[in-house]
């Protein structure tokens, strides 16, 4: 790109460069709430780009989880450049980080942002805008594999968590699971450093409802440029999570986009509701080659282990409440699965079966083991006032 020239890639566009990229002019990538421009450089990259990444409105959609899609963007420079749209409360800016040693969130302020340095590439941050808008990240394009250190601080005696907030460091989409790419995908590459009970991507829903789990039970899934998410570290010693060049793709649409791979699987959800409002759901997934015990990358522990509704593995239960329970197709014959309900006494709740793709001749029975009353969820909801 010549010094007098400008190139803009709109939110529905992409550019794949086989060799080197040299920008002496202005290169801008745009995004919207559900579309993100992509650029992939096969060789070296010289010169900065500006990525205008859409970030949610604080008071309508809530906080967004975001990472820098470029290298060497200073946090103070980012705050200054985006001051007209960045949400703020007094001296505090709506840009902050998570510390899993004590499960705390800290926002940058007018007194701390000057010494904040650059965004840590491949680390996730919480951000929000005042009206739902794009925020500009300016820096260079990563053209080598990137890593981010993660650690499991669960049980450290200080409220620590296993969860680490990480982000796609490239200005392109990434293959997330095996349905996106058989080997060059985030979950397969990082299987050794993510806890096998939680080998999934946990994406914030940005409406306060919680986290959606993406793993190999999901259709082909792609991580948008600069999209942040939580993963559960396997080890209490620091280990490197990898984002490789080979994961990059220009396929994608929304923050986390699912595209139907046409597979042979079946699934259904159990949904927990009170006063007509859904508080939680848990997924059951069936496919060939899976087991009633733990299948890493398919079974997934719930992000919140005290959520209103979850389940346990049918075999080899290790005390983990599951958000996704995956098993073989032959489990349709007869399989008993324990449910976990967390709710206060005296308030009526219901559990319904929804979004089912399992065969019509397979019944799903919910047994109340105290009363020995069984409810066929094919025909009616389970209702209880505990």
């Amino acid at each position: 790109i010549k010094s007098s020239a400008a190139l803009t890639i709109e939110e529905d566009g992409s550019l794949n460069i086989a060799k080197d990229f040299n920008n002496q002019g202005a290169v801008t990538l745009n995004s919207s709430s559900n579309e993100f421009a992509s650029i992939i450089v096969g060789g070296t990259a010289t010169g900065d780009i500006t990525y205008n990444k859409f970030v949610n409105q604080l008071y309508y959609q809530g906080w967004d989880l975001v990472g820098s899609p470029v290298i060497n963007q200073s946090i103070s420079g980012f705050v200054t450049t985006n001051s007209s749209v960045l949400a703020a409360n007094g001296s505090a800016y709506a840009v902050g980080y998570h510390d899993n040693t004590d499960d705390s969130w800290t926002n940058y302020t007018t007194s701390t942002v000057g010494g904040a340095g650059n965004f840590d590439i491949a680390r996730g941050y919480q951000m929000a805008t005042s009206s739902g808008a794009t925020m500009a990240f300016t820096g260079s394009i990563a053209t080598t594999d990137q890593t981010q250190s993660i650690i499991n601080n669960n049980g450290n005696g200080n409220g620590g968590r296993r969860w680490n907030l990480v982000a796609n460091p490239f200005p392109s989409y990434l293959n997330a699971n095996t349905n996106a790419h058989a080997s060059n995908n985030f979950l397969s590459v990082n299987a050794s450093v993510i806890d096998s009970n939680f080998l999934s991507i946990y994406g914030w829903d940005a409406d306060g409802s919680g986290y959606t789990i993406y793993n190999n039970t999901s259709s082909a899934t792609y991580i948008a440029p600069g999209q942040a998410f939580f993963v559960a570290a396997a080890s209490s010693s620091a280990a490197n999570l990898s984002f490789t060049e080979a994961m990059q793709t220009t396929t994608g649409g929304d923050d986390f986009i699912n595209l139907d791979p046409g597979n042979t699987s079946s699934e259904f959800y159990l949904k927990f509701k009170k006063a007509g409002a859904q508080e939680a759901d848990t997924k059951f997934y069936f496919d060939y080659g899976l087991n009633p015990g733990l299948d890493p990358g398919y079974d997934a522990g719930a992000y919140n282990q005290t959520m209103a509704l979850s389940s346990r593995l049918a075999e080899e239960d290790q005390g983990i409440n599951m958000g996704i329970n995956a098993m073989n197709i032959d489990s349709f014959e007869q399989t008993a699965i324990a449910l976990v309900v967390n709710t206060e006494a005296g308030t009526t709740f219901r559990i319904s079966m929804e979004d089912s793709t399992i065969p019509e001749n397979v019944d799903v029975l919910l047994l109340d083991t105290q009363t020995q009353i069984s409810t066929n969820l094919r025909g009616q909801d389970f209702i209880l006032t505990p």
Side-chain angles (χ1 to χ4, degrees):
I1 311 300
K2 294 182 178 180
S3 59
S4 59
L7 170 67
T8 299
I9 305 174
E10 297 297 353
E11 58 262 32
D12 60 349
S14 63
L15 177 62
N16 200 328
I17 301 169
K19 295 187 178 180
D20 297 337
F21 170 81
N22 186 346
N23 175 33
Q24 300 177 30
V27 175
T28 303
L29 283 76
N30 290 328
S31 69
S32 63
S33 62
N34 59 1
E35 289 184 303
F36 297 81
S38 265
I39 185 170
I40 298 176
V41 177
T44 61
T46 305
D48 289 346
I49 66 169
T50 294
Y51 200 107
N52 293 321
K53 179 167 174 57
F54 183 87
V55 178
N56 288 332
Q57 178 183 358
L58 177 60
Y59 301 107
Y60 174 61
Q61 295 163 309
W63 291 93
D64 213 344
L65 298 183
V66 178
S68 176
V70 297
I71 298 173
N72 297 327
Q73 166 69 74
S74 77
I75 297 173
S76 61
F78 174 82
V79 168
T80 299
T81 298
N82 298 285
S83 60
S84 63
V85 296
L86 178 64
N89 183 9
S91 64
Y93 299 111
V95 180
Y97 57 90
H98 179 253
D99 183 351
N100 82 344
T101 63
D102 59 3
D103 196 24
S104 64
W105 292 89
T106 302
N107 286 342
Y108 295 105
T109 66
T110 53
S111 61
T112 63
V113 72
N118 294 341
F119 284 111
D120 185 2
I121 196 69
R123 183 179 185 180
Y125 297 81
Q126 65 172 0
M127 297 185 190
T129 57
S130 54
S131 59
T134 60
M135 293 205 288
F137 293 83
T138 299
S140 58
I141 299 173
T143 56
T144 58
D145 296 350
Q146 302 295 312
T147 61
Q148 178 61 224
S149 179
I150 62 172
I151 189 169
N152 184 349
N153 280 311
N154 191 50
N156 68 354
N158 195 36
R161 302 296 301 276
R162 58 173 55 88
W163 302 106
N164 295 254
L165 185 56
V166 299
N168 176 1
F170 297 105
S172 68
Y173 287 89
L174 296 180
N175 299 314
N177 60 1
T178 55
N179 288 321
H181 192 282
S183 57
N184 293 323
N185 68 80
F186 177 82
L187 292 179
S188 295
V189 169
N190 292 293
S192 64
V193 296
I194 298 177
D195 189 326
S196 59
N197 289 293
F198 301 88
L199 183 52
S200 304
I201 289 167
Y202 291 74
W204 177 242
D205 290 333
D207 59 3
S209 63
Y211 293 85
T212 296
I213 303 172
Y214 303 91
N215 62 12
N216 295 325
T217 70
S218 310
S219 54
T221 303
Y222 305 92
I223 308 168
Q227 178 61 46
F229 52 92
F230 277 104
V231 294
S235 176
S236 57
S237 299
N240 280 336
L241 191 77
S242 296
F243 296 85
T244 66
E245 288 186 275
M247 295 177 192
Q248 291 182 273
T249 178
T250 56
T251 300
D254 209 340
D255 291 356
F256 291 104
I257 181 69
N258 287 181
L259 300 176
D260 185 6
N263 57 32
T264 58
S265 64
S266 296
E267 64 187 39
F268 68 87
Y269 286 81
L270 293 186
K271 302 195 175 185
F272 180 97
K273 300 175 183 178
K274 288 195 299 188
Q278 181 177 314
E279 293 194 353
D281 62 39
T282 188
K283 179 179 177 180
F284 299 86
Y285 178 89
F286 305 85
D287 205 352
Y288 295 102
L290 299 178
N291 301 295
L294 180 66
D295 292 287
Y298 291 85
D299 293 296
Y303 178 85
N304 179 0
Q305 287 288 292
T306 60
M307 67 185 296
L309 179 66
S310 57
S311 68
R312 292 291 185 87
L313 295 177
E315 294 183 6
E316 302 172 4
D317 176 14
Q318 298 297 311
I320 302 294
N321 296 337
M322 311 305 292
I324 300 177
N325 204 325
M327 59 205 81
N328 199 283
I329 292 290
D330 60 15
S331 297
F332 288 149
E333 296 298 323
Q334 184 170 332
T335 303
I337 304 165
L339 297 183
V340 181
V341 174
N342 284 294
T343 189
E344 68 273 13
T347 302
T348 301
F349 70 85
R350 68 173 57 226
I351 296 176
S352 61
M353 173 184 171
E354 300 182 27
D355 304 327
S356 173
T357 61
I358 67 174
E360 291 292 333
N361 64 340
V362 176
D363 287 331
V364 178
L365 307 176
L366 196 158
L367 174 65
D368 182 332
T369 55
Q370 184 171 14
T371 65
Q372 291 301 307
I373 296 175
S374 182
T375 301
N376 189 342
L377 297 178
R378 284 282 193 189
Q380 59 184 315
D381 296 347
F382 173 81
I383 301 173
L384 180 68
T385 303

